[in-house]
Amino acid sequence: MQDIEALSDHAVAARYFRRVHSFCRSLLRDDSEADDASQEVFLTVSRRRDELPAVRRFVPWLFKIALLTCLHLRRQRDRLPGTLSGDTEDA
């Protein structure tokens, strides 16, 4: 397998985007939110590239970032007014 450190950010995203998006979609249950989360995951990976030499296994690290990103987005979504089940605009 090719060394992940040698791949560009674009190549990493191209290789793993579908898997990450599917994972995010399963957690968020919304395509649009999964799109946002997936993009945020790869931005985070790009910003944290300096940690790669210390990362023993890239894929688990990537999916931990995806999990934390999705949980963060869910918490934000749940804090927004009108997003709780049972809320209506007519009330």
Side-chain angles (χ1 to χ4, degrees):
M1 183 172 173
Q2 191 174 8
D3 185 14
I4 201 71
E5 290 179 66
L7 295 176
S8 69
D9 291 337
H10 178 74
V12 170
R15 178 179 282 184
Y16 294 103
F17 187 84
R18 266 193 180 172
R19 289 173 58 190
V20 167
H21 186 272
S22 178
F23 178 74
C24 291
R25 174 67 177 92
S26 71
L27 293 172
L28 298 169
R29 307 241 186 258
D30 182 273
D31 285 328
S32 179
E33 287 184 351
D35 290 342
D36 292 344
S38 299
Q39 290 175 15
E40 185 61 36
V41 167
F42 289 103
L43 287 172
T44 301
V45 168
S46 179
R47 285 191 299 263
R48 295 175 63 184
R49 272 260 193 211
D50 60 323
E51 295 177 27
L52 280 175
V55 173
R56 288 189 170 170
R57 294 177 39 203
F58 176 75
V59 174
W61 181 72
L62 174 66
F63 278 87
K64 182 172 184 178
I65 292 171
L67 173 65
L68 295 175
T69 299
C70 290
L71 292 176
H72 177 74
L73 288 175
R74 279 176 40 179
R75 279 191 300 272
Q76 282 185 325
R77 175 184 64 193
D78 293 345
R79 287 185 195 143
L80 294 175
T83 58
L84 298 175
S85 61
D87 286 350
T88 63
E89 291 183 22
D90 297 335

